[in-house]
Every structure is written in C-alpha cells, then in structure tokens.
Amino acid sequence: MTGIPLVIAFVIAIILMIVAISKWKIHPFLSIMGVSLLLAIVAGIDLTQIADVIGAGFSGTFTSIGIVIILGAMVGTLLEKTGAALKMADCVVKLVGKKHPEAAMIIMGWIVSIPVFCDSGFVILNPIRKALVQRTRKSSVACTVALSMGLYISHCFIPPTPGPIAAANTLFGVGGLGTDVNLLLVMAIGAVCSILPLIAGYIFALFIGKKVKAKDEPTNAEAIGQTYEELVASYGKLPGAVMSFAPIVVPIILMGVASAFSMAGFNPAIIVFLGKPIIALAVGLILGVILMAQSGKMGEFYALTDDTLKTVGPILFVTAAGGVLGKVIATTDLVNFITAHAATLESLGLLFPFLLAAILKTAQGSSTVAITTSAGIIAPLMMTLGFATPLDAALVVVAIGAGAMTVSHANDSYFWVVTNFGEMEPQDGYKTQTLGTLVIGIAAIINVLLISAIF
C-alpha cells in the first residue's frame, strides 16, 4: 500500500490505538503491539518480514534507552532512599523560591538536554522533580510538563545533540551550501529561538497542571507539608549538597565533555567510554551506592534494587512497544511518499522544513530521524528555496528542529518515558505531552520566523 490510502490507514491506526487505550482500557502494551501488527499487515509489509520488523523495533528501543532507563531509575531510587533528593530540592527552592518550581524544571531541563538525550535527561532529573513537588506542594503534572518541554526544546535545537548536529553537517556541507559547518552559529540561533517555546512551555505547564492530575499529586497541602517535615526528620541528617547532586551532575558532565570533544574532532577512548550514557549513568549509580553506604542503609540495597526493577519493567515494555510502532511505520512506504511529494511545500519558505519535519515526526516517532531525514530532503534544494547564507542554513536547521518537536505521541519513546515516570495515565499523556509539544513546536517556528524577519 502507498499514497493517500496509506496515509488514511496510518491515521486510522493512531485513532484506533488511542481509543483502545483510553476508551476500551486495554493495556498500552497490548494496544500498541496490536495496532502495530494490524498496520503492518494492512500497509502491505511482506508477511514473512513482519515478525522481524516487530522484533527489530522492540530490541532497538532496549538497545538505545533500555539500560539507561534502568540505571536512571536505580539512581533515582537511591537518591530518594538516602534523602539526597530532598537535599537537592531544598537547594533548588533556595534558588528559585517555593512559588516557581516549574521555572526551575524547564530551565534545568533545557540546560541538561544540550549534551544529554531528552529520554535520559528526564530519567536523571525525575528525582529532583518528585522531591520539588513534595517540597513545594505544587502540581506534579505542571513540574513534569515543564521538565519535559525544557528537555525537548534543546534536544531538537542545539548541538551537540545528534539530530541538530547531523542536520547542520548536511545543510552546510557538500550536498547543501558547500561551506564549512558553523556549529557555533547553529547553537546561537538555537538558543535565541528557544526563548518563545520556553515561555510557551512554562505557561502551558502552569495551565495544564490545573486541569490534569497525576498519581503522585499532592492533594492535601497540609498533610503533604507534615509528611515532608516527617520525611526530613526520618533521615536524621540529610547528605551534603555536593554528594547529593553528584550522582546526577557527574553523568551529565561526563556526557557533556564527550560531546564537546566529539565536536572538536578529538575522541580519546577513555572520554568516549565514560561519555556513553550507559557508562556515565553507571558512574552515577556507583556514587549513589556510596551515598547509600554513608547513610548506613546498605542492608536494604538488594530489596531496593528488586523493587526498582519491578517498577521499571512495565515502563520498559510500553516504551519498547512504541518503538515497534515507529519501526513498522518506517518500514512502510509512508516516508517515501512524503519525500516524493515534498515539492508541493517548497513555496512556503522556512515553513517548508518545519512542516516536513512535523509530518515525519508525527508519522514515525523519532525526532532525530525526522531531523536527519528532513535535512537530507532539503539540502539539495537550499539554493532553490533561497537559503544561500550560513545564517539561512542555521535557521533551516532550527526550523527543522521545531517541526521535529511537533508532536510527541504514542509512537515516540519519550512520550512513554514522560507519561510513566510522571505517573500519569496514557490518556493524560495526550493532554500533556502531545498537546504540550504542539504548543512549543508552534511557538518555536514563530520564533524562527521572527529571527528570520529581523536578520
């Protein structure tokens, strides 16, 4: 199947999946896997290959973020158990005040996701989010959305995240402008074009936090306040600030240093090794275990590990199911169909790369794939579209990134990371993560168009 019938089949599949999860209350894992199988059959994927496609999508997700999720969850549990998460929350509250934890989350997320994938960043920062909710008695959903939006904006906009850096190489290089890649210019434009989406994401987080409730929502302010004070007292003495932040900050530094060395074209083996998310988080886990030992609770470590793995299991499987759906869609002729008809969008200027990336993102789930694919399509058209200068190329990179934010839904692993770690129901994920990424995506392209008009 190809053409318009395939597009219609894709839309029906997404609607069916949403209805199955939210209306019929079928478990997300079964809903996504079932819809993926039906779509593969209807789309005409060779019957002998469907099982392999499903297996590749499932295993690919585990390969990319499976261990990261496990290690990140372990670090988070250790931070909670030792009181380090509460200490971090206290430090953040001192900086931004009890009234603005959402602002702290969105800014923290934006900074962290420059060197770190948004999936990993959310898992790493989630303990601080949970502790801040408990400390400030603010909306859990608002803090979750703020953190998610902050991470997502820089993930799609600013090198050395793989998507933007690959797009920059493609658009500046031989197939595009034929000039040297100016990553500093791309980073600067990405940072400036983050302003409106950050503001929009923050406002949306405050708004949606009043409409949607999570399982860990502080419903009784007085009770939560007493619980927080009792929690602090139960630890006796909280760990120091340096050791509390170390299991989170050290992995971020390791990944950031590795990214910086990679951008400079210098890749010492030890830096590459320590900068891999799995290894960096393993270092964070070791630091968390040291905290556990200092608190005198090592006797509880085995049970804590066991409980964490039981909690993470469902998250991993639902996330992997989302990877299956993305792989099935990518195996169909949908991307080729979109590519073949890209010429109809060429007259739209910077809206063309935005819409192309948005279509690809919504269709197959991965922002990185949407960015790199869109850049490959647009690169030979740069001069034709009037994008002739390095500034134009940088704006195209960011316009593509804005499209790649729009939108995150069930075929995106990040959707499930945010929904599950944010302790929300799948239907709430559509109201928060999906709608939120639509808001920041539109704000982002408006920001890009404004910068283009000024310069």
Side-chain angles (χ1 to χ4, degrees):
M1 180 184 291
T2 187
I4 298 300
L6 179 57
V7 175
I8 294 173
F10 164 69
V11 172
I12 292 173
I14 298 300
I15 293 173
L16 178 61
M17 178 186 62
I18 293 172
V19 171
I21 294 171
S22 58
K23 183 73 173 178
W24 299 336
K25 304 301 180 183
I26 299 174
H27 193 280
F29 177 78
L30 296 177
S31 299
I32 300 169
M33 292 294 287
V35 166
S36 299
L37 177 59
L38 289 174
L39 181 60
I41 295 171
V42 171
I45 297 177
D46 190 331
L47 290 177
T48 63
Q49 299 298 316
I50 289 177
D52 293 335
V53 171
I54 290 174
F58 197 85
S59 62
T61 302
F62 273 91
T63 300
S64 60
I65 64 169
I67 298 176
V68 168
I69 288 176
I70 292 172
L71 292 176
M74 281 292 301
V75 170
T77 304
L78 288 170
L79 293 176
E80 291 175 16
K81 190 68 176 178
T82 59
L86 298 179
K87 182 65 177 182
M88 288 188 290
D90 278 341
C91 292
V92 173
V93 167
K94 288 179 182 177
L95 287 175
V96 302
K98 291 180 66 174
K99 295 182 179 180
H100 306 291
E102 303 90 352
M105 285 287 92
I106 198 167
I107 294 170
M108 198 181 302
W110 185 83
I111 293 170
V112 166
S113 201
I114 292 174
V116 180
F117 260 81
C118 56
D119 306 72
S120 305
F122 194 93
V123 175
I124 291 169
L125 295 177
N126 192 51
I128 299 181
R129 180 198 68 82
K130 293 179 69 175
L132 270 177
V133 170
Q134 195 169 41
R135 179 71 177 87
T136 63
R137 309 172 191 174
K138 293 286 187 175
S139 165
S140 173
V141 167
C143 289
T144 293
V145 172
L147 175 58
S148 172
M149 298 301 105
L151 288 161
Y152 212 37
I153 292 165
S154 54
H155 175 81
C156 293
F157 268 5
I158 303 176
T161 307
I165 201 170
N169 281 319
T170 300
L171 295 171
F172 278 86
V174 176
L177 290 184
T179 63
D180 292 335
V181 180
N182 192 334
L183 283 180
L184 286 178
L185 177 60
V186 175
M187 293 174 75
I189 293 297
V192 173
C193 289
S194 295
I195 295 172
L196 282 185
L198 282 170
I199 294 171
Y202 176 69
I203 294 172
F204 176 77
L206 296 178
F207 167 77
I208 203 66
K210 299 175 182 177
K211 306 293 183 181
V212 178
K213 302 301 177 185
K215 296 174 185 175
D216 62 345
E217 206 71 56
T219 54
N220 186 315
E222 183 179 353
I224 292 294
Q226 292 172 348
T227 301
Y228 179 80
E229 299 303 328
E230 291 169 2
L231 269 176
V232 172
S234 70
Y235 290 106
K237 182 180 180 182
L238 295 180
V242 173
M243 276 304 297
S244 295
F245 277 98
I248 288 178
V249 173
V250 170
I252 292 170
I253 291 174
L254 291 174
M255 288 184 273
V257 169
S259 297
F261 271 78
S262 178
M263 287 177 62
F266 181 53
N267 297 300
I270 186 64
I271 298 296
V272 174
F273 170 73
L274 291 173
K276 295 292 185 182
I278 292 174
I279 304 302
L281 278 169
V283 172
L285 178 60
I286 292 170
L287 293 170
V289 171
I290 293 173
L291 268 176
M292 191 84 170
Q294 290 177 342
S295 67
K297 298 179 179 178
M298 282 302 294
E300 304 173 35
F301 185 56
Y302 182 92
L304 180 147
T305 303
D306 197 42
D307 290 341
T308 302
L309 292 175
K310 290 176 182 177
T311 302
V312 171
I315 298 173
L316 283 173
F317 287 118
V318 172
T319 302
V324 170
L325 179 59
K327 184 67 174 179
V328 167
I329 293 170
T331 307
T332 69
D333 201 45
L334 185 60
V335 174
N336 291 333
F337 173 77
I338 294 168
T339 302
H341 292 78
T344 59
L345 300 173
E346 289 179 18
S347 62
L348 297 173
L350 285 170
L351 285 175
F352 167 48
F354 168 77
L355 290 172
L356 179 62
I359 293 168
L360 290 169
K361 163 63 181 178
T362 305
Q364 53 76 47
S366 169
S367 293
T368 301
V369 171
I371 291 171
T372 54
T373 304
S374 298
I377 294 170
I378 293 167
L381 303 173
M382 289 289 285
M383 294 299 181
T384 304
L385 296 171
F387 303 132
T389 68
L391 177 60
D392 291 336
L395 287 168
V396 173
V397 171
V398 180
I400 290 173
M405 296 178 197
T406 320
V407 292
S408 172
H409 63 99
N411 65 350
D412 179 7
S413 63
Y414 188 51
F415 173 90
W416 295 107
V417 169
V418 173
T419 301
N420 285 288
F421 278 89
E423 299 195 33
M424 294 183 287
E425 297 294 338
Q427 57 266 33
D428 294 330
Y430 298 116
K431 299 174 186 175
T432 55
Q433 178 69 4
T434 302
L435 186 56
T437 51
L438 175 62
V439 169
I440 63 171
I442 293 173
I445 189 59
I446 291 173
N447 206 152
V448 173
L449 294 173
L450 286 174
I451 297 299
S452 175
I454 293 171
F455 294 101

